Amino acid sequence: MELKLVILVLLVTPTIITAAPDGLTKFAAKWSLQAANMSDMSWLGVQVLQQVVEGPASKASLTLLFSPSLPIIVQNVILREQPLQFLSTGPLLHLVFFDNFPVFLNFMLLKTKVAPRNLLLVNLGSDYDASTLLKEPWLSGVYNLALLTPVSGDPGSLAAFTLLPFCSPSPHYLGHWNPQTFSIWESLFPDRFPNTCQATFHLCSWTTDKPFLYLKSPDNKIVGVYMNMIEQLANKLNFSYTLSHPPVDEIWGVMENGKWLGLLGMLHRGECNFTLNSFFTSIERNKAFSMSYNTIQDYVKVFLRVPAPLPEWANLVKPFSLLIWGLLVTATILVSSCFAIQAVCQGREWNTELGLLRAVVAQSALLRSNQSPRLLMYLWLITCLILCAAFTSTLVGIFTRPDFPPRITSMAQLFAGGKRLTAHDAGAFTSDALKNTPNKTVRSLIDLYPEMDKVLASMQTRSHGFVGSNHYNRFILMENNINDWYTMNEIFFAIGRSIAFRKNVPWQTKFDRAIKSMAQTGLFEYWLKTEIRSLKYTFEPHDDGDQGVVAGVERPLTTNHLKGLFLLLGIAWVVSCGVFCFEMMHKSYGCSLLPTP
């Protein structure tokens, strides 16, 4: 036989006793020997206890609660049994025997405000209406609820009732109590929420959360990922809904001085049933609210403006690194020196060999039939061909895409570069986490602003990194025409978005199952991509993170890209004029330092 832990709480004393099923059977037998001294209802309670333990609760752990007006012999018999202490792996069932429900309810409200998940009430009195009992507000948080109450005109039998909150305000009759009818758990505890029976839910909402929930122009229709979700849920669970006004304090949800503010404050005060906007989960929020299954995996990242591009006049030197340029100059000097020395040794003018240097700038070189050594000459020409091709192709790429300094990829680089962090202080998870971070270095480098304009202004100066949700921040930047941004590879948080429900709402499990099904089949990701496409934004990947680019924007080639060429041409003209003037001056004295051909 499977052993279970059974806790008996006697309201007359704070004693808690554990018992196993075999102990309960012996207890019922010993109580039956003294039935002559008890009322018929007390003996009926013993029978119900034994039938519940052997029937629907055979695989459950039990917590027994007795009314103080029941005979004190119950406590004495259990104490003499010295039962074994084992806990079943099944659900925990609270089994309550009472004959004065208001006294029992007041006692429970003093002990706890949270109702048990599984509760079986056994009424051993005769003047309590089932409808009155089951509609007690404290019982609204019970997931599995059943009441056994005496049948009018037949004091020896009990009737079983439950309550279907959405479908009917009256108790739902399950049948007369007998072990054969209620032999399994599901027969005593049917699903109290088979559907919502066209109930109306009031949802806390704030339509400023692109792409999840927002107003779409020109007719200000509410659209987004979670509007698609709620429409699917309404069709599947058969309910209607209304949306709330935005929070008066215009913050998402934060606790201050023990009080919840913002959209979550509206939910905590009972102004709505659950939120339509999603929230990041946290320990503090999990204590105050019941969060649904994660809908979308999101990330908190640092958004930075792309560094200012390098000067366009330097386009000519960008194709090669400084090392390559240094090696090229050195090789040119060495090769020209070798050819000049060879010409002098062979009795020729040394400048006649410098025509080979024209290959450096992709010009044809004048070759002599007696040129030697030929191997060096061939290697030099092939090298010049490769360098010219590489320079030309790279230069074309630079003209079509600007060149930027290295990007910041980690927090260490961010702080080493003298930059700070900024975020929108609107009672969201991100700003609250930054305020309370245990890292003193990070906390000292954070600037929080209640106005989004100040946050974006500090980011545009390239002095701050914008910390926020990966999806939400993208649209904020796009709407403010800030397109030259990227995200760091290093992630602040990786966390899921969930719908917030009020605490201890038994029907939430229906929503959780539907939301879980949507998430696992990829519906949320599909809706998210659809919303991004409808807003005509694209996010192109970049080596150092994600770069934001507005679709359709092209980069035309302008004269600014050729500043380097014009600068080089000007330098060449200046040098040519200098050489010309130098030769004219020497000719006036009848000599020339430069050889004539």
Side-chain angles (χ1 to χ4, degrees):
M1 177 185 294
E2 182 180 5
L3 298 177
K4 307 185 299 301
L5 178 67
V6 182
I7 304 174
L8 293 98
V9 180
L10 305 178
L11 301 189
V12 293
T13 65
T15 308
I16 298 178
I17 306 126
T18 58
D22 55 349
L24 288 175
T25 305
K26 296 176 182 178
F27 158 65
K30 287 196 174 184
W31 204 352
S32 64
L33 295 177
Q34 305 181 43
N37 299 324
M38 303 180 188
S39 66
D40 292 339
M41 283 300 169
S42 297
W43 170 236
L44 185 60
V46 175
Q47 286 184 314
V48 170
L49 174 60
Q50 184 174 5
Q51 292 167 356
V52 168
V53 170
E54 296 176 352
S58 60
K59 297 181 179 179
S61 301
L62 295 181
T63 297
L64 302 185
L65 298 99
F66 288 89
S67 175
S69 59
L70 294 178
I72 193 64
I73 193 172
V74 172
Q75 179 183 15
N76 296 332
V77 172
I78 293 294
L79 288 175
R80 286 198 302 268
E81 288 300 319
Q82 298 181 356
L84 298 175
Q85 301 182 25
F86 287 93
L87 182 64
S88 171
T89 57
L92 175 62
L93 173 63
H94 286 70
L95 180 56
V96 178
F97 292 91
F98 68 93
D99 59 355
N100 191 329
F101 189 75
V103 174
F104 163 76
L105 184 62
N106 291 334
F107 176 82
M108 293 304 299
L109 290 176
L110 291 175
K111 294 296 181 181
T112 178
K113 294 183 179 180
V114 180
R117 179 176 175 82
N118 307 302
L119 180 63
L120 175 59
L121 301 172
V122 181
N123 179 17
L124 299 182
S126 58
D127 56 350
Y128 288 99
D129 180 60
S131 178
T132 303
L133 290 177
L134 295 177
K135 287 183 179 180
E136 284 290 340
W138 184 74
L139 300 178
S140 62
V142 179
Y143 185 76
N144 289 314
L145 175 65
L147 168 67
L148 301 183
T149 189
V151 177
S152 178
D154 187 3
S157 61
L158 298 173
F161 294 90
T162 189
L163 187 66
L164 307 179
F166 294 128
C167 298
S168 174
S170 303
H172 177 68
Y173 177 67
L174 299 176
H176 274 65
W177 172 258
N178 65 76
Q180 290 75 29
T181 305
F182 300 96
S183 59
I184 60 175
W185 180 272
E186 289 75 13
S187 60
L188 183 59
F189 298 109
D191 187 1
R192 297 178 62 213
F193 312 98
N195 62 66
T196 57
C197 298
Q198 298 182 349
T200 300
F201 292 97
H202 190 52
L203 313 183
C204 293
S205 60
W206 193 4
T207 55
T208 59
D209 191 13
K210 284 188 177 180
F212 303 107
L213 192 67
Y214 63 98
L215 296 175
K216 188 173 184 179
S217 300
D219 54 354
N220 285 336
K221 181 182 179 182
I222 301 177
V223 296
V225 173
Y226 291 111
M227 277 304 298
N228 295 329
M229 177 202 73
I230 199 65
E231 291 292 341
Q232 291 287 335
L233 290 175
N235 291 333
K236 183 174 183 178
L237 301 180
N238 190 25
F239 67 88
S240 58
Y241 61 89
T242 59
L243 301 183
S244 71
H245 57 78
V248 178
D249 44 14
E250 295 187 347
I251 59 177
W252 289 107
V254 65
M255 178 182 283
E256 291 185 2
N257 301 322
K259 183 179 180 181
W260 280 94
L261 306 177
L263 200 67
L264 289 180
M266 296 170 61
L267 177 64
H268 196 261
R269 293 189 296 270
E271 298 178 19
C272 50
N273 300 107
F274 57 93
T275 65
L276 185 53
N277 299 85
S278 61
F279 290 86
F280 289 149
T281 56
S282 66
I283 296 176
E284 192 175 50
R285 289 175 177 175
N286 285 334
K287 289 180 180 178
F289 307 97
S290 182
M291 308 303 288
S292 72
Y293 186 85
N294 285 349
T295 58
I296 295 175
Q297 185 71 15
D298 207 345
Y299 304 93
V300 175
K301 292 185 175 182
V302 179
F303 290 71
L304 296 163
R305 283 197 67 191
V306 174
L310 296 174
E312 293 180 338
W313 60 263
N315 281 337
L316 283 179
V317 298
K318 293 177 186 177
F320 294 149
S321 64
L322 291 178
L323 176 61
I324 298 299
W325 280 117
L327 293 176
L328 178 58
V329 172
T330 302
T332 303
I333 294 174
L334 289 177
V335 170
S336 60
S337 300
C338 290
F339 284 124
I341 293 172
Q342 178 191 8
V344 172
C345 293
Q346 293 177 356
R348 300 194 308 270
E349 294 291 340
W350 61 272
N351 60 339
T352 58
E353 303 296 330
L354 297 183
L356 291 173
L357 298 181
R358 290 187 292 181
V360 177
V361 291
Q363 299 292 322
S364 61
L366 180 61
L367 302 179
R368 296 178 180 271
S369 60
N370 59 348
Q371 192 101 28
S372 63
R374 292 183 178 275
L375 179 60
L376 178 60
M377 178 187 64
Y378 294 153
L379 289 176
W380 169 248
L381 293 177
I382 292 174
T383 302
C384 290
L385 178 63
I386 295 174
L387 289 173
C388 289
F391 181 86
T392 304
S393 59
T394 307
L395 189 61
V396 171
I398 290 174
F399 283 162
T400 55
R401 182 174 183 177
D403 195 17
F404 298 91
R407 298 184 177 185
I408 296 173
T409 59
S410 65
M411 295 299 297
Q413 294 178 4
L414 182 76
F415 296 143
K419 295 184 182 295
R420 299 175 62 84
L421 297 175
T422 185
H424 187 208
D425 191 6
F429 172 83
T430 303
S431 58
D432 194 44
L434 292 174
K435 289 179 184 177
N436 301 315
T437 177
N439 192 321
K440 295 182 179 179
T441 303
V442 175
R443 195 163 59 243
S444 64
L445 295 172
I446 296 173
D447 297 320
L448 300 176
Y449 301 104
E451 300 86 8
M452 181 61 76
D453 292 341
K454 291 185 178 180
V455 175
L456 298 177
S458 61
M459 178 189 176
Q460 285 185 302
T461 60
R462 294 187 170 90
S463 62
H464 290 69
F466 182 15
V467 183
S469 162
N470 182 44
H471 293 103
Y472 180 69
N473 276 25
R474 292 170 182 260
F475 289 96
I476 290 295
L477 295 174
M478 293 297 182
E479 286 185 340
N480 289 273
N481 297 319
I482 302 176
N483 304 318
D484 55 340
W485 56 264
Y486 72 99
T487 59
M488 291 193 331
N489 285 338
E490 190 171 331
I491 297 174
F492 250 81
F493 308 105
I495 197 166
R497 287 179 170 270
S498 302
I499 304 299
F501 290 80
R502 298 194 68 191
K503 204 70 173 177
N504 302 314
V505 177
W507 44 263
Q508 181 190 342
T509 55
K510 296 292 183 179
F511 286 79
D512 279 341
R513 290 171 187 169
I515 292 173
K516 182 178 180 180
S517 176
M518 294 179 189
Q520 292 181 343
T521 54
L523 273 179
F524 287 105
E525 293 296 334
Y526 170 75
W527 289 330
L528 180 59
K529 292 178 180 178
T530 303
E531 291 300 327
I532 291 174
R533 285 196 299 268
S534 68
L535 292 169
K536 298 181 181 179
Y537 292 142
T538 60
F539 306 111
E540 296 183 357
H542 191 271
D543 293 340
D544 297 327
D546 291 336
Q547 179 182 359
V549 181
V550 178
V553 174
E554 298 179 353
R555 174 182 163 84
L557 185 64
T558 64
T559 54
N560 290 331
H561 300 98
L562 305 177
K563 283 182 179 179
L565 292 176
F566 290 114
L567 181 61
L568 184 60
L569 180 60
I571 293 174
W573 283 349
V574 171
V575 172
S576 299
C577 291
V579 172
F580 177 75
C581 293
F582 181 75
E583 285 191 347
M584 291 297 294
M585 290 175 61
H586 280 275
K587 281 185 179 181
S588 63
Y589 292 99
C591 64
S592 177
L593 295 179
L594 297 177
T596 57

